[in-house]
Amino acid sequence: MPARRAVTGRSQEPRKRFAEELRSLRAERGLTLRKLGDVAGWDWSLFSKMENGETLGGPEVVRALDQYYGTPGLLLTLWELALGDPTQFKEQYRRYMTLEAEAISLWHYAPYLLPGLLQTKAYAHTLLGWGSFKGDELTRQIEARLGRRALLEGEESPSFRTILSETVLLTPLPDRAQWQEQLEHLLAAGERRNVTIQVVLHSAGLHPLGGTDVMFLKPTDGRTVAWVETSHSGQVVEETAAVDRLQIRYDFVRDLALSPADSRKFIMKTLEEASCEPSI
């Protein structure tokens, strides 16, 4: 059967189609990017990045464009398709890795898994082994993840804060010795001058980040961007208002968390419990 041809001539790749539609709608109205920014109420540089496929933007700006162009739901639908495109995650992740390497400070919240920057080889192997990586490719992926830890170990390393949900520390590796090694690595990392580790206990109650794994990064240009990830997708969030909302939620959770000193005691207690032989 011959390959299906697109009737419209537009790209069938969700991300490219979304960018094409944005460019087409603006061109039909004879608008410059700066003029669009003025009339739509958003910074024109964001629209430039969206039209070039550098970012998808957030749902708020997409809804605003749908309203301005008189295309109710069209752009939002294309945005959702682009967000779920399997190739999108890879592109977004590469973008995130570049931001991580260039960041002068990072702060993070972990709802259920340790951040890659603090994982041991056994922890990374367990996580990555659940995916499609096998053999040499799995080995390369593990080595790449462990290589990222060097970001925190140099003389001019960025400052890094992570807030761990108690769930992270109550979910051990299958192998007890490997779990002990991971906890010991966590304690050693927390001794570095540029690393701050906090724990938010279940007793703190519900909070606005919930199951949101989020990393904030501040590049050298002073702006703040965020990386929001689930078990199967991730997105770089650059729109200022969206990042600010996430930051407010993060600050709320930080206020609920144990102090760094008390968090260290909690991790040490977890290590002691993991080291005890099970009662018979």
Side-chain angles (χ1 to χ4, degrees):
M1 179 180 294
R4 175 179 174 271
R5 298 179 62 184
V7 176
T8 63
R10 301 283 179 86
S11 173
Q12 299 302 291
E13 296 180 24
R15 184 185 181 91
K16 292 183 179 179
R17 175 60 184 275
F18 178 64
E20 287 177 1
E21 200 67 38
L22 291 175
R23 292 194 298 270
S24 176
L25 288 168
R26 181 172 61 82
E28 287 175 4
R29 286 156 180 77
L31 295 172
T32 64
L33 286 166
R34 291 184 182 276
K35 182 61 176 177
L36 178 60
D38 291 340
V39 297
W42 299 78
D43 190 280
W44 69 270
S45 62
L46 174 60
F47 295 135
S48 175
K49 292 176 181 178
M50 291 171 69
E51 291 187 11
N52 289 326
E54 296 175 26
T55 182
L56 290 175
E60 296 87 354
V61 66
V62 177
R63 290 192 187 97
L65 288 173
D66 258 335
Q67 182 177 1
Y68 176 73
Y69 288 133
T71 55
L74 171 63
L75 293 177
L76 189 60
T77 298
L78 292 175
W79 177 84
E80 290 174 343
L81 290 172
L83 194 64
D85 183 6
T87 63
Q88 168 67 13
F89 179 55
K90 294 179 181 179
E91 292 177 11
Q92 290 276 315
Y93 191 65
R94 284 193 290 269
R95 169 71 172 144
Y96 164 73
M97 291 301 295
T98 299
L99 290 167
E100 182 183 88
E102 298 174 350
I104 58 175
S105 62
L106 309 97
W107 53 107
H108 171 259
Y109 171 71
Y112 43 82
L113 297 174
L114 283 169
L117 292 171
L118 297 179
Q119 292 176 11
T120 60
K121 183 176 182 179
Y123 197 97
H125 186 280
T126 300
L127 290 180
L128 294 172
W130 292 337
S132 59
F133 304 122
K134 304 296 180 184
D136 291 342
E137 179 59 23
L138 176 59
T139 300
R140 285 193 291 271
Q141 291 293 328
I142 293 171
E143 291 176 350
R145 178 161 297 188
L146 296 180
R148 291 169 55 199
R149 301 192 309 191
L151 180 71
L152 303 179
E153 298 171 356
E155 286 296 324
E156 299 181 358
S157 299
S159 61
F160 174 62
R161 177 190 300 271
T162 185
I163 301 174
L164 308 176
S165 165
E166 184 178 354
T167 298
V168 177
L169 298 172
L170 296 182
T171 310
L173 291 172
D175 184 284
R176 178 181 301 182
Q178 292 178 347
W179 180 234
Q180 292 172 15
E181 179 190 15
Q182 175 63 77
L183 293 173
E184 290 169 352
H185 177 72
L186 200 58
L187 289 168
E191 293 179 349
R192 299 195 188 105
R193 57 170 179 77
N194 60 314
V195 177
T196 302
I197 300 174
Q198 292 182 259
V199 177
V200 59
L201 302 179
H202 293 158
S203 58
L206 294 174
H207 58 73
L209 284 181
T212 305
D213 190 304
V214 58
M215 176 78 84
F216 296 90
L217 311 98
K218 186 177 289 295
T220 54
D221 60 11
R223 63 198 174 96
T224 299
V225 299
W227 168 256
V228 180
E229 186 172 359
T230 70
S231 60
H232 65 279
S233 66
Q235 180 188 7
V236 174
V237 181
E238 299 185 76
E239 197 275 308
T240 302
V243 174
D244 286 347
R245 284 192 291 273
L246 284 169
Q247 180 71 64
I248 290 172
R249 296 177 184 180
Y250 184 88
D251 291 343
F252 182 88
V253 176
R254 186 179 61 186
D255 290 341
L256 293 176
L258 297 175
S259 68
D262 287 340
S263 295
R264 183 175 182 82
K265 292 177 182 177
F266 186 88
I267 297 171
M268 293 177 68
K269 178 175 178 290
T270 304
L271 175 58
E272 291 171 1
E273 292 173 350
S275 302
C276 293
E277 290 293 333
S279 57
I280 300 176

